[in-house]
Every structure is written in C-alpha cells, then in structure tokens.
Amino acid sequence: MLSYHLPEMDLRIPFLLALILPAPLIAEETEAPRPPSKQVVLKALQWMQSNESKRRQAAYRSVHLLGKEAMPSFRKALRKALQYHERRLADALSSRNQGGNPYHELVSITDDLKTERIRIMPLMMKDWKKERSEIDKLRLEFERLEVLYKKAANLAVADTTNLDKQIKDVIDALVEIHDQLARFEGQTKEEAEELSAEERKQAALKESFDGDSYMKAAKVLGQVRAEVASLASANQHNEESSWASGPQKNFAHIISYERVVMGLSPLRLESKLSEAATGHSQDMKTLSFFSHTSPVPGKKSFTDRARRASFRGAAVGECIAAGYGNAAAAYRGWFYSDGHRHIMLSRRANVLGIGLAGSHWTFMPGWQ
C-alpha cells in the first residue's frame, strides 16, 4: 500500500493540470473514477523527461493529485522517464554531447598504474646486492611507471566543469525518479527522510551500468587529484621553507616526486630533522669520518641526533654519502644502493631532514 505525502502546490501545478486534464476526466459525482487518458500520461511523461527540475517536480505533484487510479500509469511513465535520463547519462559519459570526457581514459590508465605499482614496489624493496645491471632495470621500470603517472595526472587536472554540471543535472533527475519509484516499493516518508543525499544518489546510480561506471570514475578522479594535490602541497611547503638551501629544496623535490609516482606520500622538509642531518654532515667533514655512528658525545646514533635537535617525531632511518656535487647525484647514488633505496622509499615517512657540508650529504626520513 502506498502512502502519499502531498507537498505544497506551486503555481506550475494548476497550469499542468489544466494542460493534462481533458474534459472527460471532470466526471459527474456518480461516475466511477477512471484511469487517466493516454494524453494525460503522455503530457506528464514529457514533463518528467524535462531537463528542468521545477518542471519535473510539477509533473510528480500533479499526477499524485489525480488519485490512486492514476498510479499504474504514473509508474509506467516513471520507468520510461528513467530510461530517458539514463540515456542522457550514457551520452554524457560517452562524449556524444558537447565537450569531452577525461574520466573515461583515466579509469583504464589508473587501473594500469595501480597494477604496475603493486608489481614494481617489491622489486624496488628487493636486495639486489648492488648489482648495477639489475638496478638499471629498476630505473627503466620507474620510467615506464612515470609515463602512466603523467598521463593520469594530466587527465586529472583537466577542466571538467561543464561535463560535471551536465552529469549532475542528469543525476538529479535520476535521483528524483528513483525516489518516486521507491514509494511504489513501500518506502515510507520517514524511511525516505532517514537517507542522506549521498545515499539517495548512490541508490539511484548503482542500478544502471552507466551510473555505476560514473561513480567508479568519479572516485578514481578524486584519488588521482588528491595525489596530485598532495605533491603540489609538499612542493609548495618545501619551496616556502625559507631556512632551506637550494640543494635541500632540490633533493626534497626529487624524492617527493619519485615517491608519489610509486604511490607513496611526498615528504615535507622539517627544519629540526634537517638541522640534525646538517650537523652530522658537518661533523663527518670536520672530523674526517664517514659513518652512521658519530664520535661526538650525545650524537652517537641518528635517533640521538634527531632527539638532540629537538625533532618532535620519530626518525626512521638515515642515509649518508660523500663526493656528490648536487642533489640529483646524491639521490641517484642512494637509489643504486639497496639499503639506502629502501630507506628513501619507506612507507613510514612523511617528513625529511636533508643536510650537506661540502660534498657530504645526510638524509633522515621521519614521521610526525
């Protein structure tokens, strides 16, 4: 049994009723109620298929005023209107309407990117015994992965404003019709009010192939945009770190980019951790030693050095190098050393300290 809650009637409803109610429907009081004529149902369907929400709403309200005899025809009209708007959604997603659809290719590319990341990361974390030919292959693997990442990132930053508006208009219609049909399945007014707007949207879209595809594409788009935004945010933070030198900023840019390509979080420069790293590089240069274990009292281990610099967080490792003239060379040298590469690609890190003194470099990833 259906329960009909009648919203307040706006000025469109009497107008629509005047259009769709033929004279024969104004029967004598003794005449038994009759289903609406084909003309009435057709007019209501035309309004349900409108791109304008106000017109569709007027159609729903007007048909409810016709009484229970109109409900079977109303239900059929809703089904036809649903099919019509589903075709509109399919047209929008397939780019048959104006503009383009950058999501379509994005889903496929992102699936490939995810698959390759899962395959490549264990290779990156493997101990190759510093076999240069094997690590050369890792660089080639990274370059192929980078191609996929760049394609995904470029698609994700494309302007989808017009397409999103077009799709939103169709989804609004689908949600409205789904709400109306749910009443025929026995949904009460109270049950309807318990559903959030997002729940109603998902319920309406998951019933169609194109709607379900759109939800997946929208989720993927959001994920890739979040990755791109996180890298941009980290780069901005690092560039605006006024205390950091050019080489420190350059190293942070290189390692953050490579980590994001591989599906890891970028790293933000941290002043205290960088102070500890710079101090160790300076000590190695001044005292002529090259080791993770420092002879300086209170600075024996990298965790001691981080603590002494008042770093608030956890240092998760340390890489040291000597003889490199720039950030790119230092990064490449560590990449070709298995243990150092593993530290640079640590999933536990979200900040970094980097310090150099002459050609001595120290990198300390950390977590805050």
Side-chain angles (χ1 to χ4, degrees), residues 295-328:
V296 179
K299 300 172 69 176
K300 183 177 181 180
S301 68
F302 71 86
T303 55
D304 292 333
R305 295 188 282 274
R307 191 181 305 111
R308 181 164 175 166
S310 300
F311 170 60
R312 295 185 177 181
V316 299
E318 182 181 73
C319 299
I320 58 175
Y324 295 110
N326 56 59

PDB file of all heavy atoms in Angstrom, residues 295-328:
ATOM      1  N   PRO A 295      81.362   9.993  16.645  1.00  0.00           N
ATOM      2  CA  PRO A 295      82.185  10.045  17.853  1.00  0.00           C
ATOM      3  C   PRO A 295      81.832  11.223  18.766  1.00  0.00           C
ATOM      4  O   PRO A 295      82.348  11.312  19.884  1.00  0.00           O
ATOM      5  CB  PRO A 295      83.608  10.199  17.302  1.00  0.00           C
ATOM      6  CG  PRO A 295      83.417  10.941  16.019  1.00  0.00           C
ATOM      7  CD  PRO A 295      82.122  10.432  15.447  1.00  0.00           C
ATOM      8  N   VAL A 296      80.949  12.094  18.296  1.00  0.00           N
ATOM      9  CA  VAL A 296      80.580  13.272  19.066  1.00  0.00           C
ATOM     10  C   VAL A 296      79.664  12.860  20.214  1.00  0.00           C
ATOM     11  O   VAL A 296      78.641  12.192  19.991  1.00  0.00           O
ATOM     12  CB  VAL A 296      79.878  14.328  18.181  1.00  0.00           C
ATOM     13  CG1 VAL A 296      79.483  15.540  19.019  1.00  0.00           C
ATOM     14  CG2 VAL A 296      80.786  14.736  17.031  1.00  0.00           C
ATOM     15  N   PRO A 297      79.994  13.238  21.438  1.00  0.00           N
ATOM     16  CA  PRO A 297      79.158  12.870  22.591  1.00  0.00           C
ATOM     17  C   PRO A 297      77.716  13.350  22.423  1.00  0.00           C
ATOM     18  O   PRO A 297      77.460  14.487  22.001  1.00  0.00           O
ATOM     19  CB  PRO A 297      79.845  13.595  23.760  1.00  0.00           C
ATOM     20  CG  PRO A 297      81.267  13.730  23.331  1.00  0.00           C
ATOM     21  CD  PRO A 297      81.212  13.967  21.844  1.00  0.00           C
ATOM     22  N   GLY A 298      76.778  12.455  22.734  1.00  0.00           N
ATOM     23  CA  GLY A 298      75.367  12.797  22.642  1.00  0.00           C
ATOM     24  C   GLY A 298      74.795  12.705  21.236  1.00  0.00           C
ATOM     25  O   GLY A 298      73.602  12.959  21.031  1.00  0.00           O
ATOM     26  N   LYS A 299      75.622  12.343  20.254  1.00  0.00           N
ATOM     27  CA  LYS A 299      75.174  12.293  18.849  1.00  0.00           C
ATOM     28  C   LYS A 299      75.563  10.954  18.206  1.00  0.00           C
ATOM     29  O   LYS A 299      75.798  10.880  17.004  1.00  0.00           O
ATOM     30  CB  LYS A 299      75.770  13.463  18.055  1.00  0.00           C
ATOM     31  CG  LYS A 299      75.369  14.822  18.586  1.00  0.00           C
ATOM     32  CD  LYS A 299      76.128  15.960  17.918  1.00  0.00           C
ATOM     33  CE  LYS A 299      75.750  16.161  16.477  1.00  0.00           C
ATOM     34  NZ  LYS A 299      76.425  17.335  15.871  1.00  0.00           N
ATOM     35  N   LYS A 300      75.623   9.916  19.025  1.00  0.00           N
ATOM     36  CA  LYS A 300      76.124   8.639  18.531  1.00  0.00           C
ATOM     37  C   LYS A 300      75.277   8.074  17.394  1.00  0.00           C
ATOM     38  O   LYS A 300      75.797   7.695  16.345  1.00  0.00           O
ATOM     39  CB  LYS A 300      76.197   7.641  19.686  1.00  0.00           C
ATOM     40  CG  LYS A 300      76.787   6.293  19.283  1.00  0.00           C
ATOM     41  CD  LYS A 300      76.903   5.354  20.481  1.00  0.00           C
ATOM     42  CE  LYS A 300      77.518   4.017  20.065  1.00  0.00           C
ATOM     43  NZ  LYS A 300      77.652   3.084  21.221  1.00  0.00           N
ATOM     44  N   SER A 301      73.970   7.983  17.575  1.00  0.00           N
ATOM     45  CA  SER A 301      73.090   7.394  16.560  1.00  0.00           C
ATOM     46  C   SER A 301      72.231   8.469  15.918  1.00  0.00           C
ATOM     47  O   SER A 301      72.131   9.593  16.419  1.00  0.00           O
ATOM     48  CB  SER A 301      72.193   6.327  17.186  1.00  0.00           C
ATOM     49  OG  SER A 301      71.271   6.937  18.079  1.00  0.00           O
ATOM     50  N   PHE A 302      71.598   8.100  14.806  1.00  0.00           N
ATOM     51  CA  PHE A 302      70.744   9.094  14.135  1.00  0.00           C
ATOM     52  C   PHE A 302      69.548   9.471  15.004  1.00  0.00           C
ATOM     53  O   PHE A 302      69.073  10.601  14.944  1.00  0.00           O
ATOM     54  CB  PHE A 302      70.303   8.601  12.742  1.00  0.00           C
ATOM     55  CG  PHE A 302      69.311   7.474  12.745  1.00  0.00           C
ATOM     56  CD1 PHE A 302      67.955   7.716  12.834  1.00  0.00           C
ATOM     57  CD2 PHE A 302      69.735   6.161  12.615  1.00  0.00           C
ATOM     58  CE1 PHE A 302      67.035   6.673  12.810  1.00  0.00           C
ATOM     59  CE2 PHE A 302      68.836   5.110  12.594  1.00  0.00           C
ATOM     60  CZ  PHE A 302      67.472   5.369  12.697  1.00  0.00           C
ATOM     61  N   THR A 303      69.075   8.529  15.832  1.00  0.00           N
ATOM     62  CA  THR A 303      67.973   8.879  16.730  1.00  0.00           C
ATOM     63  C   THR A 303      68.450   9.844  17.818  1.00  0.00           C
ATOM     64  O   THR A 303      67.711  10.744  18.221  1.00  0.00           O
ATOM     65  CB  THR A 303      67.373   7.617  17.365  1.00  0.00           C
ATOM     66  OG1 THR A 303      68.404   6.858  18.014  1.00  0.00           O
ATOM     67  CG2 THR A 303      66.693   6.753  16.307  1.00  0.00           C
ATOM     68  N   ASP A 304      69.703   9.662  18.276  1.00  0.00           N
ATOM     69  CA  ASP A 304      70.281  10.610  19.240  1.00  0.00           C
ATOM     70  C   ASP A 304      70.362  11.999  18.625  1.00  0.00           C
ATOM     71  O   ASP A 304      70.037  13.005  19.281  1.00  0.00           O
ATOM     72  CB  ASP A 304      71.696  10.172  19.660  1.00  0.00           C
ATOM     73  CG  ASP A 304      71.693   8.894  20.488  1.00  0.00           C
ATOM     74  OD1 ASP A 304      70.670   8.630  21.154  1.00  0.00           O
ATOM     75  OD2 ASP A 304      72.719   8.173  20.454  1.00  0.00           O
ATOM     76  N   ARG A 305      70.791  12.049  17.371  1.00  0.00           N
ATOM     77  CA  ARG A 305      70.967  13.348  16.711  1.00  0.00           C
ATOM     78  C   ARG A 305      69.626  14.043  16.487  1.00  0.00           C
ATOM     79  O   ARG A 305      69.507  15.259  16.629  1.00  0.00           O
ATOM     80  CB  ARG A 305      71.728  13.147  15.393  1.00  0.00           C
ATOM     81  CG  ARG A 305      73.156  12.649  15.595  1.00  0.00           C
ATOM     82  CD  ARG A 305      73.955  12.630  14.309  1.00  0.00           C
ATOM     83  NE  ARG A 305      73.664  11.503  13.439  1.00  0.00           N
ATOM     84  CZ  ARG A 305      74.231  10.304  13.524  1.00  0.00           C
ATOM     85  NH1 ARG A 305      75.081  10.037  14.510  1.00  0.00           N
ATOM     86  NH2 ARG A 305      73.932   9.347  12.660  1.00  0.00           N
ATOM     87  N   ALA A 306      68.615  13.264  16.126  1.00  0.00           N
ATOM     88  CA  ALA A 306      67.277  13.844  15.929  1.00  0.00           C
ATOM     89  C   ALA A 306      66.729  14.367  17.250  1.00  0.00           C
ATOM     90  O   ALA A 306      66.147  15.462  17.313  1.00  0.00           O
ATOM     91  CB  ALA A 306      66.337  12.803  15.332  1.00  0.00           C
ATOM     92  N   ARG A 307      66.923  13.586  18.302  1.00  0.00           N
ATOM     93  CA  ARG A 307      66.441  13.991  19.623  1.00  0.00           C
ATOM     94  C   ARG A 307      67.162  15.252  20.106  1.00  0.00           C
ATOM     95  O   ARG A 307      66.548  16.165  20.647  1.00  0.00           O
ATOM     96  CB  ARG A 307      66.643  12.845  20.610  1.00  0.00           C
ATOM     97  CG  ARG A 307      65.949  13.041  21.951  1.00  0.00           C
ATOM     98  CD  ARG A 307      66.217  11.864  22.894  1.00  0.00           C
ATOM     99  NE  ARG A 307      65.843  10.591  22.266  1.00  0.00           N
ATOM    100  CZ  ARG A 307      66.720   9.664  21.900  1.00  0.00           C
ATOM    101  NH1 ARG A 307      68.018   9.864  22.078  1.00  0.00           N
ATOM    102  NH2 ARG A 307      66.306   8.524  21.362  1.00  0.00           N
ATOM    103  N   ARG A 308      68.464  15.319  19.882  1.00  0.00           N
ATOM    104  CA  ARG A 308      69.253  16.460  20.333  1.00  0.00           C
ATOM    105  C   ARG A 308      68.859  17.737  19.595  1.00  0.00           C
ATOM    106  O   ARG A 308      68.941  18.837  20.154  1.00  0.00           O
ATOM    107  CB  ARG A 308      70.749  16.173  20.130  1.00  0.00           C
ATOM    108  CG  ARG A 308      71.663  17.303  20.600  1.00  0.00           C
ATOM    109  CD  ARG A 308      73.069  16.814  20.731  1.00  0.00           C
ATOM    110  NE  ARG A 308      73.986  17.910  21.069  1.00  0.00           N
ATOM    111  CZ  ARG A 308      75.232  17.742  21.499  1.00  0.00           C
ATOM    112  NH1 ARG A 308      75.714  16.519  21.662  1.00  0.00           N
ATOM    113  NH2 ARG A 308      76.008  18.771  21.761  1.00  0.00           N
ATOM    114  N   ALA A 309      68.404  17.577  18.347  1.00  0.00           N
ATOM    115  CA  ALA A 309      67.962  18.738  17.565  1.00  0.00           C
ATOM    116  C   ALA A 309      66.529  19.139  17.906  1.00  0.00           C
ATOM    117  O   ALA A 309      65.978  20.061  17.292  1.00  0.00           O
ATOM    118  CB  ALA A 309      68.071  18.440  16.079  1.00  0.00           C
ATOM    119  N   SER A 310      65.928  18.438  18.881  1.00  0.00           N
ATOM    120  CA  SER A 310      64.550  18.723  19.334  1.00  0.00           C
ATOM    121  C   SER A 310      63.510  18.405  18.268  1.00  0.00           C
ATOM    122  O   SER A 310      62.470  19.076  18.187  1.00  0.00           O
ATOM    123  CB  SER A 310      64.416  20.184  19.790  1.00  0.00           C
ATOM    124  OG  SER A 310      65.304  20.456  20.853  1.00  0.00           O
ATOM    125  N   PHE A 311      63.800  17.388  17.449  1.00  0.00           N
ATOM    126  CA  PHE A 311      62.802  16.954  16.456  1.00  0.00           C
ATOM    127  C   PHE A 311      61.647  16.270  17.173  1.00  0.00           C
ATOM    128  O   PHE A 311      61.859  15.330  17.939  1.00  0.00           O
ATOM    129  CB  PHE A 311      63.441  15.993  15.453  1.00  0.00           C
ATOM    130  CG  PHE A 311      62.454  15.322  14.542  1.00  0.00           C
ATOM    131  CD1 PHE A 311      61.644  16.068  13.695  1.00  0.00           C
ATOM    132  CD2 PHE A 311      62.316  13.933  14.546  1.00  0.00           C
ATOM    133  CE1 PHE A 311      60.719  15.447  12.857  1.00  0.00           C
ATOM    134  CE2 PHE A 311      61.407  13.304  13.708  1.00  0.00           C
ATOM    135  CZ  PHE A 311      60.604  14.070  12.866  1.00  0.00           C
ATOM    136  N   ARG A 312      60.452  16.731  16.934  1.00  0.00           N
ATOM    137  CA  ARG A 312      59.258  16.146  17.542  1.00  0.00           C
ATOM    138  C   ARG A 312      58.630  15.153  16.577  1.00  0.00           C
ATOM    139  O   ARG A 312      57.833  15.505  15.719  1.00  0.00           O
ATOM    140  CB  ARG A 312      58.264  17.245  17.897  1.00  0.00           C
ATOM    141  CG  ARG A 312      58.778  18.188  18.982  1.00  0.00           C
ATOM    142  CD  ARG A 312      57.729  19.189  19.392  1.00  0.00           C
ATOM    143  NE  ARG A 312      58.184  20.038  20.480  1.00  0.00           N
ATOM    144  CZ  ARG A 312      57.456  20.989  21.047  1.00  0.00           C
ATOM    145  NH1 ARG A 312      56.214  21.210  20.606  1.00  0.00           N
ATOM    146  NH2 ARG A 312      57.948  21.721  22.031  1.00  0.00           N
ATOM    147  N   GLY A 313      59.034  13.937  16.722  1.00  0.00           N
ATOM    148  CA  GLY A 313      58.568  12.885  15.837  1.00  0.00           C
ATOM    149  C   GLY A 313      59.510  11.712  15.960  1.00  0.00           C
ATOM    150  O   GLY A 313      60.298  11.614  16.904  1.00  0.00           O
ATOM    151  N   ALA A 314      59.454  10.810  14.990  1.00  0.00           N
ATOM    152  CA  ALA A 314      60.319   9.630  15.005  1.00  0.00           C
ATOM    153  C   ALA A 314      61.167   9.608  13.745  1.00  0.00           C
ATOM    154  O   ALA A 314      60.633   9.623  12.627  1.00  0.00           O
ATOM    155  CB  ALA A 314      59.478   8.362  15.093  1.00  0.00           C
ATOM    156  N   ALA A 315      62.489   9.610  13.924  1.00  0.00           N
ATOM    157  CA  ALA A 315      63.391   9.419  12.787  1.00  0.00           C
ATOM    158  C   ALA A 315      63.363   7.942  12.425  1.00  0.00           C
ATOM    159  O   ALA A 315      63.475   7.080  13.307  1.00  0.00           O
ATOM    160  CB  ALA A 315      64.797   9.866  13.143  1.00  0.00           C
ATOM    161  N   VAL A 316      63.198   7.623  11.134  1.00  0.00           N
ATOM    162  CA  VAL A 316      63.006   6.220  10.744  1.00  0.00           C
ATOM    163  C   VAL A 316      64.184   5.642   9.967  1.00  0.00           C
ATOM    164  O   VAL A 316      64.127   4.499   9.509  1.00  0.00           O
ATOM    165  CB  VAL A 316      61.701   6.056   9.929  1.00  0.00           C
ATOM    166  CG1 VAL A 316      60.509   6.456  10.760  1.00  0.00           C
ATOM    167  CG2 VAL A 316      61.739   6.859   8.640  1.00  0.00           C
ATOM    168  N   GLY A 317      65.257   6.413   9.821  1.00  0.00           N
ATOM    169  CA  GLY A 317      66.414   5.895   9.114  1.00  0.00           C
ATOM    170  C   GLY A 317      67.387   7.008   8.778  1.00  0.00           C
ATOM    171  O   GLY A 317      67.143   8.182   9.084  1.00  0.00           O
ATOM    172  N   GLU A 318      68.493   6.630   8.127  1.00  0.00           N
ATOM    173  CA  GLU A 318      69.499   7.626   7.746  1.00  0.00           C
ATOM    174  C   GLU A 318      70.293   7.115   6.556  1.00  0.00           C
ATOM    175  O   GLU A 318      70.629   5.935   6.462  1.00  0.00           O
ATOM    176  CB  GLU A 318      70.435   7.904   8.919  1.00  0.00           C
ATOM    177  CG  GLU A 318      71.481   8.973   8.620  1.00  0.00           C
ATOM    178  CD  GLU A 318      72.403   9.211   9.809  1.00  0.00           C
ATOM    179  OE1 GLU A 318      73.254   8.326  10.072  1.00  0.00           O
ATOM    180  OE2 GLU A 318      72.261  10.259  10.472  1.00  0.00           O
ATOM    181  N   CYS A 319      70.568   8.015   5.629  1.00  0.00           N
ATOM    182  CA  CYS A 319      71.454   7.731   4.511  1.00  0.00           C
ATOM    183  C   CYS A 319      72.582   8.761   4.540  1.00  0.00           C
ATOM    184  O   CYS A 319      72.322   9.951   4.764  1.00  0.00           O
ATOM    185  CB  CYS A 319      70.733   7.835   3.168  1.00  0.00           C
ATOM    186  SG  CYS A 319      69.361   6.690   2.962  1.00  0.00           S
ATOM    187  N   ILE A 320      73.813   8.323   4.308  1.00  0.00           N
ATOM    188  CA  ILE A 320      74.928   9.255   4.221  1.00  0.00           C
ATOM    189  C   ILE A 320      75.668   9.013   2.910  1.00  0.00           C
ATOM    190  O   ILE A 320      75.636   7.920   2.338  1.00  0.00           O
ATOM    191  CB  ILE A 320      75.896   9.114   5.414  1.00  0.00           C
ATOM    192  CG1 ILE A 320      76.455   7.690   5.516  1.00  0.00           C
ATOM    193  CG2 ILE A 320      75.200   9.525   6.709  1.00  0.00           C
ATOM    194  CD1 ILE A 320      77.515   7.513   6.606  1.00  0.00           C
ATOM    195  N   ALA A 321      76.291  10.071   2.402  1.00  0.00           N
ATOM    196  CA  ALA A 321      77.034   9.970   1.144  1.00  0.00           C
ATOM    197  C   ALA A 321      78.122  11.034   1.142  1.00  0.00           C
ATOM    198  O   ALA A 321      78.036  12.039   1.848  1.00  0.00           O
ATOM    199  CB  ALA A 321      76.105  10.162  -0.045  1.00  0.00           C
ATOM    200  N   ALA A 322      79.137  10.802   0.333  1.00  0.00           N
ATOM    201  CA  ALA A 322      80.218  11.773   0.188  1.00  0.00           C
ATOM    202  C   ALA A 322      80.681  11.768  -1.261  1.00  0.00           C
ATOM    203  O   ALA A 322      80.668  10.727  -1.924  1.00  0.00           O
ATOM    204  CB  ALA A 322      81.373  11.449   1.127  1.00  0.00           C
ATOM    205  N   GLY A 323      81.067  12.935  -1.745  1.00  0.00           N
ATOM    206  CA  GLY A 323      81.603  13.020  -3.091  1.00  0.00           C
ATOM    207  C   GLY A 323      80.611  13.400  -4.159  1.00  0.00           C
ATOM    208  O   GLY A 323      80.941  13.398  -5.352  1.00  0.00           O
ATOM    209  N   TYR A 324      79.382  13.741  -3.768  1.00  0.00           N
ATOM    210  CA  TYR A 324      78.366  14.123  -4.748  1.00  0.00           C
ATOM    211  C   TYR A 324      78.201  15.644  -4.763  1.00  0.00           C
ATOM    212  O   TYR A 324      78.084  16.279  -3.710  1.00  0.00           O
ATOM    213  CB  TYR A 324      77.029  13.456  -4.434  1.00  0.00           C
ATOM    214  CG  TYR A 324      77.072  11.947  -4.558  1.00  0.00           C
ATOM    215  CD1 TYR A 324      76.995  11.139  -3.433  1.00  0.00           C
ATOM    216  CD2 TYR A 324      77.223  11.345  -5.802  1.00  0.00           C
ATOM    217  CE1 TYR A 324      77.050   9.753  -3.534  1.00  0.00           C
ATOM    218  CE2 TYR A 324      77.276   9.969  -5.921  1.00  0.00           C
ATOM    219  CZ  TYR A 324      77.193   9.173  -4.782  1.00  0.00           C
ATOM    220  OH  TYR A 324      77.257   7.809  -4.901  1.00  0.00           O
ATOM    221  N   GLY A 325      78.149  16.196  -5.974  1.00  0.00           N
ATOM    222  CA  GLY A 325      78.118  17.652  -6.112  1.00  0.00           C
ATOM    223  C   GLY A 325      76.741  18.275  -6.107  1.00  0.00           C
ATOM    224  O   GLY A 325      76.623  19.501  -5.998  1.00  0.00           O
ATOM    225  N   ASN A 326      75.682  17.475  -6.252  1.00  0.00           N
ATOM    226  CA  ASN A 326      74.337  18.053  -6.272  1.00  0.00           C
ATOM    227  C   ASN A 326      73.316  17.040  -5.770  1.00  0.00           C
ATOM    228  O   ASN A 326      73.630  15.855  -5.569  1.00  0.00           O
ATOM    229  CB  ASN A 326      73.961  18.552  -7.675  1.00  0.00           C
ATOM    230  CG  ASN A 326      74.073  17.457  -8.724  1.00  0.00           C
ATOM    231  OD1 ASN A 326      73.412  16.414  -8.641  1.00  0.00           O
ATOM    232  ND2 ASN A 326      74.925  17.676  -9.728  1.00  0.00           N
ATOM    233  N   ALA A 327      72.093  17.517  -5.588  1.00  0.00           N
ATOM    234  CA  ALA A 327      71.033  16.685  -5.017  1.00  0.00           C
ATOM    235  C   ALA A 327      70.696  15.495  -5.902  1.00  0.00           C
ATOM    236  O   ALA A 327      70.461  14.383  -5.400  1.00  0.00           O
ATOM    237  CB  ALA A 327      69.787  17.535  -4.773  1.00  0.00           C
ATOM    238  N   ALA A 328      70.641  15.714  -7.220  1.00  0.00           N
ATOM    239  CA  ALA A 328      70.289  14.619  -8.133  1.00  0.00           C
ATOM    240  C   ALA A 328      71.316  13.493  -8.063  1.00  0.00           C
ATOM    241  O   ALA A 328      70.967  12.308  -8.080  1.00  0.00           O
ATOM    242  CB  ALA A 328      70.171  15.154  -9.558  1.00  0.00           C
TER     243      ALA A 328
END
